């Protein structure tokens, strides 16, 4: 399984093509050329040594929570999963707009 990890820019090399990024104890030098130079504090989605996408703080928090939930599931800590997916608990699943049939009686 391939999973991107959110990391926050800590420092940028002189030309802006590379940055030292971190989240907690995880620290990595990332290639920023796919997303362009980013200021310190920016969250990026990292995958295989490169920043693939710029994230806002909420997106980074949601991805980080999902990764923590995955870890909780792997170690059998089911109690933590609902807390980590709080945005999904107590709501009905929704189809993406392109899958919704406008008037089912016509089909």
């Amino acid at each position: 399984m391939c999973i991107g990890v959110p990391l926050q820019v800590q420092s940028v090399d002189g030309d802006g093509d590379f940055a030292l990024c971190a989240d907690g104890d995880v620290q990595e030098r990332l290639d920023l050329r796919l997303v362009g130079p980013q200021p310190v504090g920016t969250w990026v989605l990292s995958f295989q040594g490169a920043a693939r996408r710029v994230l806002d703080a909420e997106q980074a928090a949601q991805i980080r929570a999902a990764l923590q939930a995955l870890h909780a599931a792997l170690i059998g800590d089911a109690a933590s999963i609902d807390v980590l997916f709080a945005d999904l608990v107590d709501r009905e699943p929704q189809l993406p707009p392109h899958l919704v049939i406008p008037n089912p009686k016509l089909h």
Side-chain angles (χ1 to χ4, degrees):
M1 174 172 20
C2 302
I3 298 177
V5 178
L7 296 175
Q8 192 171 37
V9 175
Q10 303 297 306
S11 64
V12 181
D13 290 357
D15 59 4
D17 286 345
F18 292 87
L20 181 62
C21 301
D23 184 21
D25 293 338
V26 176
Q27 197 173 61
E28 189 173 349
R29 184 172 183 263
L30 294 180
D31 183 336
L32 298 179
R33 289 177 287 187
L34 291 175
V35 297
Q38 299 298 318
V40 170
T42 301
W43 284 96
V44 294
L45 186 64
S46 68
F47 181 71
Q48 294 188 337
R52 304 296 176 153
R53 189 175 110 190
V54 174
L55 303 170
D56 63 36
E58 183 178 346
Q59 291 170 322
Q62 287 176 335
I63 295 168
R64 292 170 75 219
L67 292 171
Q68 289 172 349
L70 177 62
H71 177 72
L74 290 171
I75 64 170
D77 181 12
S80 296
I81 294 173
D82 281 354
V83 172
L84 294 165
F85 284 120
D87 60 319
L88 301 177
V89 175
D90 296 328
R91 74 174 191 145
E92 288 293 317
Q94 301 279 324
L95 286 173
H98 67 281
L99 294 178
V100 175
I101 297 172
N103 187 344
K105 292 181 181 179
L106 296 177
H107 297 279

